């Protein structure tokens, strides 16, 4: 048996980053032009930011200094399935929002949006690009919220028709903005959710005229900020969700299968906070990334008649993958004897056990086997981009690590695993569906 030393793999997502000043948080980041329809989609199939939504499905904004911070917010006229192709026109029904404090108390509203909505069409678009008029002349007329309950995560909820009783109907808003500010101006990077809900469908024809061209920023549990740029993605969908996690959309507890795409299941990972700007570093500091994080013990593996145990240490927790490369080509080949063992592990002494089965389920006898490679990969802050109910995604996305800086050695790689979708829809090369 030939042992190959670890390959250092830091993240799944990398791309180039550029900065532009922002005076608002909301449609400004999601809609770089008026043809990129990306409505905030709440309630209904989305289950996002409704009166009855769970903690993991909230639309949050963070207050750090309640005595000196204020929130400006507003929305265009709402709609369910829609009745107009004019952005922001809505369907004429009554839509409400309310704000709850970190303890779950209603501290603003319910407020009828229709009475002072952001205007429809190009007028409203130009206003949301400027931000609240209280900060920028020519901006939108905002509701003002004073966070009297102190610091922490507040959240906004929406409901259709009834200001108090949950209706559960879909509530979508083409134009919207939630801005945290103080005497010095706008504080970007305070608005976040674990899984955003958006809507890009053509009202009249049922087609998908809107294209998501925005950029999202994830903040992992180990404080790594990554950005995902959808500018050239061709991303279209009706009521869809976007989330990121360290494991993927599955919930079985098996890391290898949980990271696979799922067919006909509306599921996204809801683990990492997702922002519309680089998260405010004074609230969301950068973590640390250490190169050469994995070292094997003096005795790298222990052999038993029915298993082999790999013994190693991690300076920081992360994901360790062991490729049993039975054909010695340094890559995993599906449907062959190759097999991948993968686990999410904490810092310190760790082990991964191989039950001596190969990728085809046959028992391997190391004493009789021809020499094969073992490739070990360590992943720090691995991120799985999960999308639910997206109809078109032909161009892909561009990712990058924003902070902290990445050490060497550093391998930039991006992976996908759609094996479950291929099997479910009986094709051999790729999913028989548009993304």
């Amino acid at each position: 048996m030939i042992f190959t030393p670890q390959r250092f793999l830091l993240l799944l997502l990398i791309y180039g980053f550029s900065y532009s000043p922002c005076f608002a948080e909301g449609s400004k980041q999601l809609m770089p032009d008026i043809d990129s329809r990306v409505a905030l989609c709440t309630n209904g199939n989305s289950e996002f930011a409704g009166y009855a939504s769970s903690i993991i499905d909230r639309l949050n904004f963070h207050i750090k200094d309640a005595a000196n911070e204020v929130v400006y917010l507003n929305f265009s006229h709402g709609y369910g399935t829609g009745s107009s192709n004019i952005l922001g026109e809505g369907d004429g029904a009554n839509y409400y929002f309310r704000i709850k404090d970190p303890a779950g108390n209603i501290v603003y509203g319910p407020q009828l949006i229709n009475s002072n909505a952001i205007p429809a069409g190009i007028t409203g678009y130009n206003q949301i690009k400027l931000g609240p008029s209280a900060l920028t002349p020519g901006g939108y007329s905002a509701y003002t919220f004073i966070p009297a309950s102190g610091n922490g995560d507040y959240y906004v909820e929406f409901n259709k028709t009834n200001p108090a009783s949950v209706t559960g109907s879909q509530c979508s808003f083409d134009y919207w903005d939630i801005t945290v500010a103080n005497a010095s101006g706008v504080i970007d990077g305070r608005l976040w959710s674990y899984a955003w809900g958006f809507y890009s469908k053509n009202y009249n024809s049922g087609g998908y005229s809107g294209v998501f061209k925005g950029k999202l920023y994830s903040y992992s549990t180990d404080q790594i900020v990554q950005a995902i740029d959808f500018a050239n993605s061709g991303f279209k969908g009706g009521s869809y969700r976007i989330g990121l996690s360290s494991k993927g959309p599955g919930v079985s507890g098996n890391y290898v299968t949980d990271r696979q795409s799922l067919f006909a299941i509306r599921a996204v990972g809801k683990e990492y906070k997702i922002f519309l700007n680089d998260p405010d570093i004074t609230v969301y500091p950068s973590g640390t990334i250490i190169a050469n994080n994995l070292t094997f013990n003096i005795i790298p593996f222990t052999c038993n008649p029915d298993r082999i145990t790999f013994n190693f240490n991690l300076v920081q927790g992360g994901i360790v993958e062991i490729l049993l490369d039975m054909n010695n080509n340094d890559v995993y080949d599906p449907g062959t004897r190759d097999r991948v063992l993968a686990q999410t592990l904490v810092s310190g002494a760790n082990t991964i056990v191989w039950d001596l089965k190969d990728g085809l389920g046959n028992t391997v006898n190391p004493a009789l086997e021809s020499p094969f490679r073992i490739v070990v990969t360590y992943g720090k802050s691995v991120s799985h981009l999960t999308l639910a109910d997206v109809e078109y995604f032909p161009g892909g996305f561009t990712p990058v690590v924003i902070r902290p800086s990445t050490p060497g050695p550093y391998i930039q790689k991006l992976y996908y695993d759609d094996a479950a979708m291929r099997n479910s829809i009986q094709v051999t090369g790729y999913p028989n569906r548009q993304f």
Side-chain angles (χ1 to χ4, degrees):
M1 182 182 298
I2 300 174
F3 179 78
T4 302
Q6 73 167 14
R7 291 176 175 177
F8 182 80
L9 173 64
L10 176 65
L11 296 158
L12 296 182
L13 306 178
I14 305 43
Y15 83 96
F17 170 72
S18 62
Y19 172 79
S20 62
C22 294
F23 301 98
E25 288 206 284
S27 298
K28 176 183 175 68
Q29 288 74 32
L30 301 174
M31 298 175 61
D33 58 67
I34 197 168
D35 295 322
S36 52
R37 167 177 275 151
V38 187
L40 185 70
C41 184
T42 72
N43 278 308
N45 291 332
S46 165
E47 300 178 344
F48 171 59
Y51 275 16
S53 292
S54 64
I55 294 175
I56 206 72
D57 289 310
R58 290 174 179 170
L59 172 56
N60 306 277
F61 61 86
H62 186 83
I63 297 298
K64 176 188 176 183
D65 182 7
N68 296 293
E69 293 177 355
V70 63
V71 181
Y72 300 101
L73 71 167
N74 205 353
F75 311 87
S76 59
H77 288 282
Y79 59 91
T81 55
S83 60
S84 171
N85 273 329
I86 300 175
L87 287 171
E89 188 170 71
D91 61 11
N94 288 335
Y95 290 86
Y96 298 86
F97 79 87
R98 67 189 185 189
I99 298 174
K100 288 186 175 180
D101 67 13
N105 303 305
I106 299 173
V107 289
Y108 190 96
Q111 173 63 55
L112 176 65
I113 295 171
N114 304 51
S115 61
N116 185 37
I118 296 173
I122 188 66
T123 300
Y125 180 78
N126 289 335
Q127 288 185 5
I128 58 99
K129 295 295 282 185
L130 292 172
S133 60
L135 301 177
T136 308
Y140 70 88
S141 175
Y143 296 101
T144 302
F145 170 65
I146 306 299
S149 298
N151 299 339
D153 288 321
Y154 293 71
Y155 51 104
V156 185
E157 299 179 328
F158 301 89
N159 203 49
K160 183 178 181 179
T161 308
N162 195 303
S165 300
V166 176
T167 61
S169 300
Q170 180 172 307
C171 307
S172 297
F173 308 94
D174 289 323
Y175 300 145
W176 64 280
D177 184 77
I178 302 173
T179 291
V180 179
N182 59 20
S184 299
V186 172
I187 308 171
D188 287 331
R190 294 289 191 86
L191 185 67
W192 66 275
S193 176
Y194 287 112
W196 288 89
F198 298 132
Y199 186 87
S200 300
K201 201 168 185 178
N202 182 295
Y203 301 148
N204 292 338
S205 69
Y208 300 92
S209 59
V211 180
F212 181 30
K213 303 176 185 177
K215 184 185 295 183
L216 300 174
Y217 296 78
S218 71
Y219 187 70
S220 66
T221 52
D222 50 3
Q223 301 176 318
I224 308 300
V225 177
Q226 302 179 76
I228 310 166
D229 193 345
F230 296 93
N232 300 306
S233 65
F235 191 134
K236 299 181 180 181
S239 171
Y240 55 92
R241 299 292 300 273
I242 300 177
L244 286 116
S245 73
S246 62
K247 301 177 178 64
V251 294
S252 70
N254 183 318
Y255 176 74
V256 174
T257 57
D258 284 349
R259 65 186 178 180
Q260 295 178 343
S261 299
L262 300 174
F263 176 64
I265 296 178
R266 189 183 175 89
V268 296
K270 301 176 183 179
E271 182 182 359
Y272 296 165
K273 293 179 173 68
I274 303 175
F275 296 77
L276 306 187
N277 288 295
D278 185 357
D280 178 4
I281 197 169
T282 67
V283 180
Y284 308 100
S286 299
T288 58
I289 302 173
I290 301 173
N292 301 318
N293 217 312
L294 185 151
T295 57
F296 274 87
N297 294 0
I298 296 175
I299 302 176
F301 45 82
T302 306
C303 298
N304 291 280
D306 59 345
R307 66 190 183 278
I308 290 178
T309 302
F310 298 93
N311 309 303
F312 52 89
N313 286 274
L314 296 178
V315 179
Q316 294 179 316
I319 293 170
V320 175
E321 293 188 0
I322 298 177
L323 166 61
L324 306 175
D325 185 22
M326 308 301 290
N327 58 8
N328 293 314
N329 66 350
D330 286 340
V331 297
Y332 172 69
D333 298 302
T336 71
R337 296 186 66 206
D338 285 359
R339 186 177 174 190
V340 174
L341 310 174
Q343 289 186 29
T344 302
L345 302 170
V346 298
S347 61
N350 286 278
T351 61
I352 290 181
V353 177
W354 175 31
D355 61 2
L356 297 181
K357 300 292 184 181
D358 65 14
L360 301 177
N362 301 315
T363 300
V364 175
N365 187 336
L368 302 177
E369 188 72 36
S370 298
F372 62 89
R373 299 181 189 278
I374 298 175
V375 182
V376 180
T377 302
Y378 167 80
K380 168 68 175 175
S381 192
V382 174
S383 295
H384 294 274
L385 174 65
T386 54
L387 311 169
D389 207 5
V390 173
E391 275 68 30
Y392 298 90
F393 198 17
F397 56 91
T398 308
V400 73
V401 179
I402 300 300
R403 56 180 172 90
S405 59
T406 56
Y410 182 59
I411 302 173
Q412 299 183 1
K413 289 188 176 182
L414 182 68
Y415 298 91
Y416 73 95
D417 190 340
D418 63 354
M421 296 194 73
R422 292 201 305 270
N423 293 339
S424 297
I425 54 182
Q426 299 180 347
V427 295
T428 55
Y430 51 85
N432 189 23
R433 295 170 66 87
Q434 291 279 5
F435 287 92

